[in-house]
Amino acid sequence: KYGADGDVVDIGLHTVKVQNWDKTISMIPTHAFMTDTFKNWRGMTECGGRRIKRSLHLDMTSVRFLEDADIKRLGSIQALKPYLDGRAKELSAWNQSKNVDGSSPVNGRRLTNIGTFRAYIECYLEGLEPIREDMTFLVRQLPPSTEGVPLEIYCFSGEQRWKHFEGIMGDIFDHLMAVVREFDLRVYQQPGSADLQRLVEQSAGSSRG
């Protein structure tokens, strides 16, 4: 409400002085702290972790079942191999116990590329030193929307310094955006000017043909 987001540097009888992250100063009436809501960053400092909460949006049309060749190929990813071996045995045993007809992929239970990618993200994050495994640690699928299927990372970094924290979060999503193609998934983004230009050129080429 008062445009303040930073550290309290002085508490007076009538005003509280806050130095914002951009080094500007906000002066807030003392009574506002009794009547309005505010966010206190002290809990983050004292708990030893800083929250990462960000989503990667995937194109729903790229979601599919994994074939045996896919499972074999993805098994070469060291962090993912234990998950694939255990999960494949579990699903095979379940399908056999239910006498599932394997001629159609719709029958029974099968691995999907998006579920396997979610498992990979968990394995990848567990191997990163700054990530606090003793605090909330989730990789979850959020409800689909017009912007695709969001896979949200919700965890805490032991590094709290702003610059270093942003570097860690950037490295995580740099890696995930680069590796997502290995799972035959596509990151969703709205059509840009280059996409529209390509469609116009294709349409013009078809008309000339």
Side-chain angles (χ1 to χ4, degrees), residues 46-104:
E46 294 179 347
C47 77
R50 186 165 185 165
R51 187 183 69 175
I52 296 174
K53 184 177 183 289
R54 182 179 289 183
S55 297
L56 188 67
H57 292 254
L58 303 176
D59 189 338
M60 284 183 280
T61 63
S62 66
V63 176
R64 64 175 179 83
F65 291 117
L66 292 183
E67 303 292 341
D68 290 340
D70 298 317
I71 297 174
K72 182 178 180 181
R73 175 176 57 83
L74 293 173
S76 63
I77 301 175
Q78 293 181 339
L80 197 56
K81 192 174 189 309
Y83 166 82
L84 287 175
D85 291 344
R87 191 70 170 155
K89 291 178 182 178
E90 176 191 340
L91 297 184
S92 177
W94 190 93
N95 289 334
Q96 290 180 8
S97 68
K98 302 296 182 181
N99 296 318
V100 170
D101 179 4
S103 61
S104 172

Side-chain angles (χ1 to χ4, degrees), residues 98-192:
K98 302 296 182 181
N99 296 318
V100 170
D101 179 4
S103 61
S104 172
V106 177
N107 299 327
R109 298 169 61 192
R110 296 172 62 91
L111 289 168
T112 63
N113 58 347
I114 190 170
T116 305
F117 182 52
R118 188 172 69 247
Y120 170 77
I121 296 174
E122 291 181 357
C123 295
Y124 170 70
L125 292 176
E126 287 171 354
L128 296 181
E129 185 176 346
I131 302 302
R132 295 282 301 268
E133 293 188 47
D134 58 329
M135 303 180 76
T136 304
F137 182 99
L138 291 173
V139 179
R140 59 178 182 166
Q141 186 182 130
L142 299 179
S145 70
T146 54
E147 297 182 349
V149 184
L151 281 186
E152 183 185 75
I153 291 177
Y154 191 109
C155 60
F156 286 80
S157 165
E159 176 58 72
Q160 297 176 306
R161 291 173 295 176
W162 193 2
K163 179 180 178 180
H164 296 78
F165 169 79
E166 291 291 345
I168 291 168
M169 189 160 55
D171 288 344
I172 289 173
F173 280 87
D174 288 350
H175 176 80
L176 296 182
M177 285 188 286
V179 81
V180 68
R181 297 179 183 85
E182 297 294 323
F183 297 82
D184 286 335
L185 289 163
R186 293 187 299 273
V187 176
Y188 178 86
Q189 64 179 18
Q190 294 182 356

Side-chain angles (χ1 to χ4, degrees), residues 7-26:
D7 294 321
V8 174
V9 293
D10 184 62
I11 300 177
L13 183 61
H14 300 292
T15 58
V16 174
K17 184 190 234 181
V18 176
Q19 185 179 60
N20 301 309
W21 304 128
D22 61 359
K23 301 307 180 182
T24 58
I25 301 294
S26 295

